[in-house]
């Protein structure tokens, strides 16, 4: 609407943000949200998860991003790189307060449809749910990476 009738809004101050995957405020907001969720688990829940899966971290954060056809990425769409960079930045912030013995961060893509090849990186969301069930007491927190470009 704004761009269709720019003359009407000529005095309005505005900022265009073409993408926010690496904006410090977005990263901080996501880290704060995730930290709050991770902090909600009790020490007994974490201890139980450690006992059930001694070779894995007791806490897991799964980022679930929307998939796109692989042909989009091959044609130069920056989506995959942006998602991976965003998850990497958030993970680095999370690992400032937790070790890899305490926390694992995963990225998956969802919503593959039709016969064409879709973007797949890491486990699918369903695979992660299955992993979580097999881990018994492992704690899995799911965060959607709402990064449309």
């Amino acid at each position: 609407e704004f761009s269709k009738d720019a003359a009407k809004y000529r005095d309005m101050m505005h900022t265009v943000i073409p993408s926010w995957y690496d904006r410090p405020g977005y990263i901080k907001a996501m880290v704060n949200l995730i930290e709050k969720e991770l902090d909600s688990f009790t020490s007994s829940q974490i201890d139980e998860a450690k006992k059930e899966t001694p070779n894995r971290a007791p806490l897991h954060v799964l980022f679930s991003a929307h998939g796109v056809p692989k042909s989009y990425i091959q044609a130069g769409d920056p989506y995959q790189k942006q998602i991976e960079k965003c998850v990497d930045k958030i993970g680095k912030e999370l690992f400032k307060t937790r070790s890899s013995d305490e926390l694992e961060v995963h990225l998956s893509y969802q919503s593959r449809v039709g016969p064409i090849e879709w973007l797949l990186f890491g486990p699918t969301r369903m695979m992660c749910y299955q992993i979580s069930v097999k881990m018994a007491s492992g704690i899995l927190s799911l965060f959607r990476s709402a990064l449309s470009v």
Side-chain angles (χ1 to χ4, degrees):
E1 182 66 28
F2 182 79
S3 63
K4 290 179 184 175
D5 197 5
K8 180 179 175 182
Y9 302 101
R10 70 176 182 260
D11 295 331
M12 181 184 288
M13 296 293 295
H14 67 281
T15 302
V16 175
I17 302 172
S19 60
W20 62 89
Y21 70 95
D22 63 347
R23 292 185 61 87
Y26 179 73
I27 300 300
K28 184 177 181 180
M30 291 295 289
V31 169
N32 290 343
L33 175 71
I34 295 166
E35 287 285 0
K36 183 178 177 184
E37 182 69 22
L38 294 174
D39 289 344
S40 74
F41 296 110
T42 66
S43 57
S44 62
Q45 288 174 309
I46 293 169
D47 289 342
E48 186 177 337
K50 287 178 182 178
K51 287 178 192 172
E52 292 291 328
T53 56
N55 297 327
R56 301 288 310 257
L59 299 169
H60 294 258
V61 174
L62 170 62
F63 289 89
S64 178
H66 200 285
V68 295
K70 210 173 207 179
S71 61
Y72 289 18
I73 303 305
Q74 291 167 341
D77 190 309
Y79 179 76
Q80 180 181 12
K81 287 180 183 173
Q82 290 175 346
I83 290 286
E84 291 172 7
K85 186 173 182 181
C86 181
V87 169
D88 184 59
K89 283 178 173 264
I90 293 169
K92 284 179 180 172
E93 291 297 314
L94 293 171
F95 286 120
K96 286 181 178 179
T97 59
R98 288 181 167 77
S99 73
S100 59
D101 291 337
E102 298 173 280
L103 175 69
E104 291 182 31
V105 175
H106 311 274
L107 169 62
S108 70
Y109 292 98
Q110 60 177 318
S111 301
R112 293 183 308 239
V113 179
I116 60 175
E117 192 172 1
W118 281 69
L119 186 59
L120 178 63
F121 178 80
T124 64
R125 197 168 67 173
M126 184 53 70
M127 290 168 148
C128 286
Y129 287 142
Q130 291 167 348
I131 290 167
S132 180
V133 169
K134 287 180 184 173
M135 289 172 54
S137 297
I139 301 168
L140 176 69
S141 293
L142 173 66
F143 292 89
R144 293 188 190 273
S145 298
L147 297 174
S148 300
V149 268

